[in-house]
Amino acid sequence: MRPSSQTAKRPRSSRHGAPLCNGAPQSTAPLFTRGPGTLSIPHEVHAKARRKLASRLTAACDSAGLPTAGVVLLRGGVSACRNDSDTELLFRQESYFSYLFGVEEPDWWGLVEFGGAEPRTTLLAPRLPAEYAIWMGELTSTDSFRERYLVEQVAYADELETLLGEALGRSAALCAGRPLIHVMQGQNSDSGADLGAVLGVGGRIPPGEADFTRRDVLYDVLAECRVTKCAEELGIMRYISWVSSAAHVEVMREVQVGMMEYQLE
């Protein structure tokens, strides 16, 4: 692809020619990238999103007369195979989970404790059998994931109930009354689907906590968090717009009568 500066203005670039994320600090901090020549996004962007959520959720709970400390329980996207085969479908992370954590892999869970000076995050990965290394290479350790995703703790999904109990215990010291578990339930206005039904979490909430779980607060607060963008997010959107515009320009330059779509791709 040969993007034209006359038709698609390239975002601000580094001295190596790679577009930068506007407002993103240039450091050795953990980054998300798809490889050389692509945008590098610091995982601090997701940490900022978690701080925004914690602040707004605390305020929303206070306004509703609910305990101002508690635990957010989120489920990431799940892996799936094509029909009855063992061929995995191309995975795309659930959008809210990606926004808060930047996790790329399927079948993860997340806990965000709010109400203190800073939110505390625990991510839970699926515990893969050792033989997976034959096909996938060396399995990533929880410590490596913790450093990659810039969170306080990474454990395994089969430890969720225990770690949820510990998180509630820490939250109890920060508020009057029993802290609540907040989960997602709300309808996407475009698809009509309810996230609470698509990625339900009910089966992982301990029976004794079911009466202390709220489904009517988190969805609206988190959706509103995504409406306003920080400087880094605006830089990402500028980059995406530039790539998309440049691609459209090149396709229109090359298109000829009788060409097939795959030829343009």
Side-chain angles (χ1 to χ4, degrees), residues 8-12 19-24 39-42 45 52 99 225-246:
K9 186 177 179 181
R10 187 184 182 112
R12 181 171 60 92
L20 299 177
C21 176
N22 260 7
L39 186 67
S40 294
I41 303 172
V45 172
K52 181 196 287 189
Y99 170 71
C225 283
R226 292 178 61 191
V227 171
T228 56
K229 308 298 182 184
C230 66
E232 290 90 344
E233 290 172 310
L234 291 174
I236 295 167
M237 294 173 71
R238 291 188 185 99
Y239 175 84
I240 294 168
S241 296
W242 168 74
V243 170
S244 179
S245 298

Side-chain angles (χ1 to χ4, degrees), residues 180-200:
L180 301 175
I181 302 170
H182 292 268
V183 300
M184 295 287 277
Q185 182 169 313
Q187 189 178 64
N188 184 302
S189 58
D190 294 323
S191 69
D194 189 315
L195 186 56
V198 175
L199 288 173

Side-chain angles (χ1 to χ4, degrees), residues 76-97:
V78 299
S79 57
C81 291
R82 187 178 68 238
N83 302 323
D84 64 340
S85 73
D86 65 349
T87 301
E88 291 189 4
L89 298 175
L90 182 63
F91 175 73
R92 289 287 184 267
Q93 186 59 270
E94 194 281 315
S95 296
Y96 288 102
F97 202 84

Side-chain angles (χ1 to χ4, degrees), residues 50 54 70-72 101 110-123 151-154 163 166-167 170:
R50 295 193 295 274
V71 182
V72 170
F101 308 119
L111 302 174
V112 180
E113 301 166 42
F114 68 94
E118 288 284 332
R120 185 183 190 278
T121 301
T122 301
L123 288 172
V151 296
E152 284 72 27
Q153 183 179 12
V154 174
L163 293 173
E166 293 175 1
R170 287 187 290 268

Side-chain angles (χ1 to χ4, degrees), residues 20-250:
L20 299 177
C21 176
N22 260 7
Q26 300 305 297
S27 68
T28 57
L31 300 170
F32 168 85
T33 178
R34 287 301 186 194
T38 64
L39 186 67
S40 294
I41 303 172
H43 274 286
E44 175 62 22
V45 172
H46 305 289
K48 282 187 176 183
R50 295 193 295 274
R51 288 193 287 270
K52 181 196 287 189
L53 170 64
S55 174
R56 295 191 179 187
L57 189 54
T58 298
C61 289
D62 187 42
S63 297
L66 301 173
T68 54
V71 182
V72 170
L73 171 61
L74 289 166
R75 183 181 184 183
V78 299
S79 57
C81 291
R82 187 178 68 238
N83 302 323
D84 64 340
S85 73
D86 65 349
T87 301
E88 291 189 4
L89 298 175
L90 182 63
F91 175 73
R92 289 287 184 267
Q93 186 59 270
E94 194 281 315
S95 296
Y96 288 102
F97 202 84
S98 180
Y99 170 71
L100 287 177
F101 308 119
V103 170
E104 299 180 64
E105 297 82 7
D107 305 319
W108 283 52
W109 294 74
L111 302 174
V112 180
E113 301 166 42
F114 68 94
E118 288 284 332
R120 185 183 190 278
T121 301
T122 301
L123 288 172
L124 300 108
R127 192 189 297 270
L128 300 178
E131 56 265 26
Y132 269 51
I134 297 172
W135 306 102
M136 302 169 62
E138 182 179 1
L139 300 182
T140 305
S141 68
T142 54
D143 282 341
S144 294
F145 276 131
R146 178 179 54 80
E147 294 174 1
R148 177 190 301 177
Y149 291 127
L150 211 63
V151 296
E152 284 72 27
Q153 183 179 12
V154 174
Y156 291 110
D158 55 26
E159 303 173 282
L160 173 59
E161 289 79 4
T162 298
L163 293 173
L164 178 57
E166 293 175 1
L168 288 169
R170 287 187 290 268
S171 296
L174 301 173
C175 67
R178 183 163 178 169
L180 301 175
I181 302 170
H182 292 268
V183 300
M184 295 287 277
Q185 182 169 313
Q187 189 178 64
N188 184 302
S189 58
D190 294 323
S191 69
D194 189 315
L195 186 56
V198 175
L199 288 173
V201 302
R204 301 303 301 271
I205 296 175
E209 300 296 340
D211 292 337
F212 300 93
T213 300
R214 295 298 293 249
R215 293 175 167 81
D216 58 342
V217 181
L218 178 60
Y219 188 88
D220 288 343
V221 172
L222 188 49
E224 190 63 26
C225 283
R226 292 178 61 191
V227 171
T228 56
K229 308 298 182 184
C230 66
E232 290 90 344
E233 290 172 310
L234 291 174
I236 295 167
M237 294 173 71
R238 291 188 185 99
Y239 175 84
I240 294 168
S241 296
W242 168 74
V243 170
S244 179
S245 298
H248 277 82
V249 168
E250 288 302 305

